[in-house]
Amino acid sequence: MVGTIAKNSRTIDFRYYFTDFATTGTTGAASMPITTKGNIPQSWPAGARYTRGGNAPGTKTFAELKALRTFHETVNAKPGQGSGNSDLLFSVYEPAISYTPPAPWTLRGDMGGKLFMLAPRWDAASYLANSTGGGSNPAKKGAATFSYLTTLVLSTKQGAEERAEAAHIRTAFINPQDTKPYMSAKKVPGQTVEDPLRRTVSATRRDNNRKAAVKQCRRYWGANYTIGGKECDEYPFATTYEGAAEHDYDPEVRKFNFSVKPIPKDDNRAGGNLLQGFYGNNRTIDGDNDGFIVKIVT
């Protein structure tokens, strides 16, 4: 089963595929009823209501599903059911299969089960696309996505616009002792799903992160570090809670657990544009309910 979402849509399309139907010998498989369901056992907040569509077959025989091969079910959650200013709604979607042998045939063991789960999420965050439903249709404002840690991919390859930024981050990952500011046992976040980055949309937090980063660029490269068209690149990004000023907000985190380096402004701004596009494409939300990691390709 594959879940897809059209851009800026609140409707998720779950498409089921039935493949490799085969029988051996003499059996009653052809007339065996098979029931397929897409269950939503839990929502946060609880009590959310969903609109279902598509052509889910319910119960069909083995022979009928073998001929059908595929069907789809749609799930839509109207805005206004979520929590907070972003109208956040989380849920669990579980495809389940059950079957019953036709008389007089019998089977042993489990006759069905939950296949796996997906984690749909809906929002109407003001800082993401379609926050007003196009201005004329508030019932369609916001969109759906899947609530998983996503990966921002940056490249150090020749010709990559963000090459210098990617090289800087790669050094911070592989040789943190070679980065500035100095800190023993430096280990910047965003490398693993256990220690992801979290987006912040606070202009104050973002500005304080940048000020803290620039302060270190000046400390190590002098006030003229911008000569030649350079800018102070920082990792973790200024638009994350893990940015250079994190220690000012949370004294328990390690001070100077970040990296700065003057790089060509074109590379720095290309990296920033990729990050903003990444936020929008993945509907990355502010705070602890979302996160992402960074991968550098060489």
Side-chain angles (χ1 to χ4, degrees):
M1 192 274 287
V2 179
T4 59
I5 306 164
K7 186 176 181 180
N8 298 331
S9 172
R10 296 190 69 91
T11 299
I12 304 177
D13 186 273
F14 297 101
R15 183 161 292 276
Y16 289 72
Y17 295 90
F18 292 88
T19 64
D20 302 322
F21 276 55
T23 62
T24 302
T26 302
T27 73
S31 60
M32 180 173 68
I34 301 174
T35 300
T36 309
K37 290 183 178 180
N39 300 318
I40 303 179
Q42 195 160 0
S43 299
W44 298 269
R49 297 291 180 265
Y50 303 92
T51 302
R52 304 285 191 107
N55 64 335
T59 300
K60 295 287 186 181
T61 66
F62 180 101
E64 288 172 329
L65 284 179
K66 182 178 181 180
L68 178 64
R69 297 190 63 80
T70 182
F71 74 87
H72 75 108
E73 177 183 44
T74 60
V75 178
N76 181 291
K78 292 183 179 179
Q81 302 185 81
S83 61
N85 294 332
S86 297
D87 193 15
L88 288 172
L89 171 60
F90 298 84
S91 72
V92 172
Y93 183 90
E94 289 182 332
I97 297 288
S98 61
Y99 45 90
T100 305
W105 298 90
T106 61
L107 288 172
R108 297 177 181 176
D110 293 334
M111 282 179 268
K114 301 171 184 177
L115 305 184
F116 58 93
M117 61 165 281
L118 290 176
R121 190 192 78 210
W122 289 263
D123 75 82
S126 61
Y127 49 86
L128 292 172
N130 200 39
S131 62
T132 64
S136 59
N137 198 339
K140 292 186 177 182
K141 66 180 181 180
T145 186
F146 290 107
S147 188
Y148 293 108
L149 283 172
T150 47
T151 302
L152 170 65
V153 179
L154 301 174
S155 176
T156 63
K157 294 180 180 180
Q158 187 72 34
E161 293 180 335
E162 76 283 9
R163 185 183 186 192
E165 178 180 277
H168 171 209
I169 297 173
R170 184 173 185 271
T171 300
F173 285 176
I174 298 175
N175 297 305
Q177 70 278 4
D178 294 338
T179 65
K180 308 297 182 185
Y182 173 78
M183 189 195 79
S184 62
K186 179 185 290 187
K187 186 177 181 181
V188 293
Q191 303 182 58
T192 66
V193 295
E194 292 79 19
D195 191 19
L197 300 179
R198 300 164 298 148
R199 182 186 184 184
T200 176
V201 297
S202 166
T204 299
R205 183 89 178 230
R206 178 197 64 208
D207 291 344
N208 287 339
N209 282 337
R210 287 178 175 157
K211 288 176 183 177
V214 168
K215 181 179 180 180
Q216 296 303 317
C217 275
R218 288 173 175 165
R219 174 187 176 189
Y220 287 95
W221 287 275
N224 295 325
Y225 74 87
T226 59
I227 288 178
K230 292 183 177 181
E231 292 181 342
C232 185
D233 181 46
E234 74 275 12
Y235 182 85
F237 310 112
T239 53
T240 66
Y241 283 93
E242 293 71 30
E246 183 184 22
H247 179 76
D248 297 337
Y249 291 88
D250 184 0
E252 293 187 3
V253 304
R254 294 178 297 172
K255 192 174 184 179
F256 298 141
N257 193 36
F258 61 91
S259 177
V260 299
K261 183 180 181 180
I263 66 171
K265 66 179 181 180
D266 288 345
D267 293 62
N268 192 37
R269 295 179 183 183
N273 290 336
L274 287 172
L275 179 60
Q276 289 304 312
F278 172 84
Y279 285 155
N281 290 337
N282 292 284
R283 296 197 71 85
T284 307
I285 56 175
D286 177 286
D288 294 333
N289 289 320
D290 206 353
F292 67 100
I293 59 174
V294 180
K295 179 180 179 181
I296 306 300
V297 296
T298 59

